[in-house]
Amino acid sequence: MIQDLKSNTLFVRIMDIDFTDGGIEPVPISPISFEQTLPSNQALVPVVFINQRIFTELDSLQIRGIAHKMIPFVSEKVKQSEKEDFKELQIDCDWTKSSRNKFFYLLEYLQKIPELNEVTITTTLRLHQVKNIQSSGIPPVKRATLMCYNMGNLRQFGDHNSILNQQDLTTYLSGTLKDYPLELDIALPLFDWYVAFRDHQYIGISKYIDKSDLDDKSLFTRNPKTELFILNQDLQKANLKKGDVIRHEFITKEQLIATAKFLNKELQGKEKRIIFYHLSPEVLSNYNYADLQEVIAAF
């Protein structure tokens, strides 16, 4: 389907940067390993996620050190995909008021490194960073990706969708996007997940159940007219117990189209790239080519 969509760019997470348990030095976490080469007609944009907490512990010299370690690591991974080079490097960070200045310093420093002279540095934006522009600041780049997902309270019990909520979208973005001073790309969610609760308390996202489990009426009982499912027996494979509740969160084509129309109105015709997150075979099986074309057309 990626080929069908005529996508000319793939954003690929290369690694996270964070402290290990008990560690005092930021290190690469779960770096990607390319098992196959990428299509020759698609550019690769490497994405590096940095946990904002590391900036509370680092000075400017250590931040520059991260930059110099990051570049050869990313370059080597790009070559592993059999791409010769990359023209854009995206740094993903959910910065806060306390970590903002140091993160922005990293972005500025990356743009001064000779090896990246031909590379555009971009970053990500969360909804709260757009709405609270005075405290969040404006990242020192020319372009950013607005992440239109994960906007609700994942850990709160109830029949809500924490991935995408039109009311939250309106609250955060209405009247703010048209004047935002950066060029913006839009990232929309295609993923779903299964949020687990025990005694109304969040216990995690389960990776060991799927829709077929929820459809098994001997295993789960659905709370009528909701996406809450009550477990009828212990489920050892998922480490769940009888009485646990699963909230299945997913995004319909109609929700994506409504989001696209809202954003298009707010952006007032500004040029943008549309990024779907994420494009695994399991996720793409929930949509067809025509569905995603409808979403794109709504922009």
Side-chain angles (χ1 to χ4, degrees):
M1 186 189 290
I2 296 175
Q3 296 292 342
D4 293 336
L5 287 170
K6 297 181 173 57
S7 170
N8 56 16
T9 305
L10 289 175
F11 288 73
V12 179
R13 174 200 161 276
I14 299 297
M15 62 175 166
D16 296 353
I17 297 178
D18 198 357
F19 296 124
T20 56
D21 292 339
I24 58 174
E25 188 77 19
V27 295
I29 305 292
S30 303
I32 192 173
S33 180
F34 287 95
E35 297 179 356
Q36 57 186 9
T37 60
L38 299 180
S40 59
N41 63 335
Q42 290 176 320
L44 167 64
V45 176
V47 180
V48 175
F49 173 80
I50 303 179
N51 193 316
Q52 63 94 19
R53 68 177 181 168
I54 74 169
F55 293 106
T56 63
E57 305 294 331
L58 304 183
D59 58 26
S60 59
L61 180 62
Q62 291 169 310
I63 291 172
R64 295 197 296 272
I66 286 179
H68 286 292
K69 291 177 181 178
M70 183 195 310
I71 296 167
F73 193 97
V74 170
S75 297
E76 187 59 35
K77 288 295 181 182
V78 170
K79 290 178 182 177
Q80 190 182 91
S81 74
E82 297 198 2
K83 295 290 184 183
E84 290 297 320
D85 55 18
F86 54 98
K87 300 299 182 184
E88 178 180 346
L89 171 62
Q90 185 164 97
I91 309 298
D92 180 11
C93 180
D94 188 5
W95 78 87
T96 62
K97 184 177 180 180
S98 61
S99 57
R100 177 191 68 192
N101 290 344
K102 290 181 178 179
F103 175 59
F104 287 5
Y105 177 77
L106 172 65
L107 293 178
E108 290 173 334
Y109 187 73
L110 285 168
Q111 293 172 81
K112 297 176 182 177
I113 296 178
E115 297 96 310
L116 298 180
N117 277 347
E118 303 299 320
V119 175
T120 299
I121 303 298
T122 61
T123 189
T124 52
L125 278 175
R126 272 71 175 176
L127 303 191
H128 69 88
Q129 293 161 344
V130 175
K131 181 175 177 60
N132 305 316
I133 195 169
Q134 295 301 320
S135 58
S136 295
I138 301 166
V141 294
K142 293 181 179 179
R143 193 176 197 97
T145 295
L146 180 61
M147 301 170 72
C148 295
Y149 51 86
N150 294 5
M151 56 187 67
N153 189 341
L154 172 73
R155 296 171 178 266
Q156 181 181 340
F157 182 81
D159 184 35
H160 59 280
N161 193 320
S162 68
I163 298 176
L164 179 61
N165 180 291
Q166 296 297 326
Q167 183 175 346
D168 287 343
L169 200 69
T170 301
T171 299
Y172 279 99
L173 299 182
S174 184
T176 61
L177 285 185
K178 62 181 173 53
D179 295 323
Y180 198 79
L182 301 182
E183 297 176 34
L184 293 178
D185 298 317
I186 303 296
L188 295 176
L190 299 184
F191 62 92
D192 66 339
W193 55 31
Y194 301 85
V195 191
F197 296 89
R198 180 170 298 154
D199 299 323
H200 287 200
Q201 299 298 311
Y202 170 82
I203 58 173
I205 295 174
S206 179
K207 298 180 180 179
Y208 300 101
I209 59 175
D210 56 28
K211 191 65 168 59
S212 64
D213 293 317
L214 298 185
D215 290 339
D216 183 346
K217 294 183 179 180
S218 67
L219 196 57
F220 283 96
T221 299
R222 181 175 180 174
N223 189 319
K225 298 182 180 180
T226 74
E227 290 299 328
L228 297 177
F229 297 80
I230 304 169
L231 186 58
N232 297 325
Q233 57 186 276
D234 290 354
L235 188 60
Q236 188 173 1
K237 71 172 184 177
N239 198 26
L240 295 172
K241 297 181 178 180
K242 180 180 179 180
D244 288 350
V245 175
I246 297 296
R247 182 173 69 225
H248 182 207
E249 298 187 9
F250 58 94
I251 307 303
T252 65
K253 177 188 73 171
E254 290 72 24
Q255 286 175 301
L256 290 172
I257 290 173
T259 298
K261 289 180 177 179
F262 167 78
L263 292 171
N264 190 52
K265 179 182 176 182
E266 293 297 315
L267 288 166
Q268 297 186 345
K270 289 184 178 179
E271 185 179 345
K272 57 213 167 271
R273 292 178 293 185
I274 309 304
I275 302 165
F276 290 116
Y277 179 78
H278 51 96
L279 299 180
S280 70
E282 296 80 13
V283 169
L284 286 176
S285 67
N286 296 322
Y287 305 89
N288 58 44
Y289 170 72
D291 291 336
L292 299 187
Q293 282 295 345
E294 276 191 68
V295 176
I296 294 169
F299 281 99

